[in-house]
């Protein structure tokens, strides 16, 4: 999974000691989707160039809170992909909890 290797080799903002195997990453994505969190993959010319996810709070009192993470390959930065990711993410947040998102989205 060269995309993950690119992230790790960048050496910034990494919270992992090792790259997940492809099977581990697929299992993680399946679990994220099963739990109704958001996970998107951006492809340009059949190559993964970005990812974004929002993991919602697990406790009932924290369901309105989400942890957002994104990464865009340096080759494709400055081409509007980040803008697309943010627009998509805010729309997704509005669709699941429009009241909680309002304070963030409308500013």
């Amino acid at each position: 999974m060269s995309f993950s290797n690119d992230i790790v080799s960048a050496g910034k903002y990494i919270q992992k000691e090792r790259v997940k195997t492809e099977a581990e990453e697929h299992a993680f994505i399946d679990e994220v989707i099963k739990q109704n969190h958001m996970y998107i993959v951006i492809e340009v010319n059949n190559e993964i160039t970005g990812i974004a996810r929002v993991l919602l709070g697990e406790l009932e009192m924290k369901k309105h809170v989400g942890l957002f993470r994104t990464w865009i390959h340096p080759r494709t930065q400055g081409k509007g992909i980040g803008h697309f990711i943010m627009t998509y993410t805010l729309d997704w947040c509005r669709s699941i909890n429009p009241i909680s998102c309002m304070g963030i989205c409308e500013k």
Side-chain angles (χ1 to χ4, degrees), residues 40-78:
I40 60 171
V41 176
I42 308 301
E43 289 187 32
V44 175
N45 299 324
N46 295 320
E47 181 181 8
I48 296 173
T49 60
I51 60 168
R53 71 180 189 216
V54 175
L55 303 179
L56 299 173
E58 293 179 16
L59 300 175
E60 190 61 37
M61 65 186 279
K62 292 187 178 184
K63 294 250 186 241
H64 67 286
V65 176
L67 174 64
F68 172 72
R69 177 171 290 159
T70 189
W71 193 86
I72 303 170
H73 196 284
R75 284 194 305 274
T76 55
Q77 290 177 2

Side-chain angles (χ1 to χ4, degrees), residues 7-16 53 69-71 77:
I7 294 171
V8 172
S9 66
K12 295 181 183 177
Y13 315 111
I14 303 299
Q15 297 181 357
K16 301 175 191 159
R53 71 180 189 216
R69 177 171 290 159
T70 189
W71 193 86
Q77 290 177 2

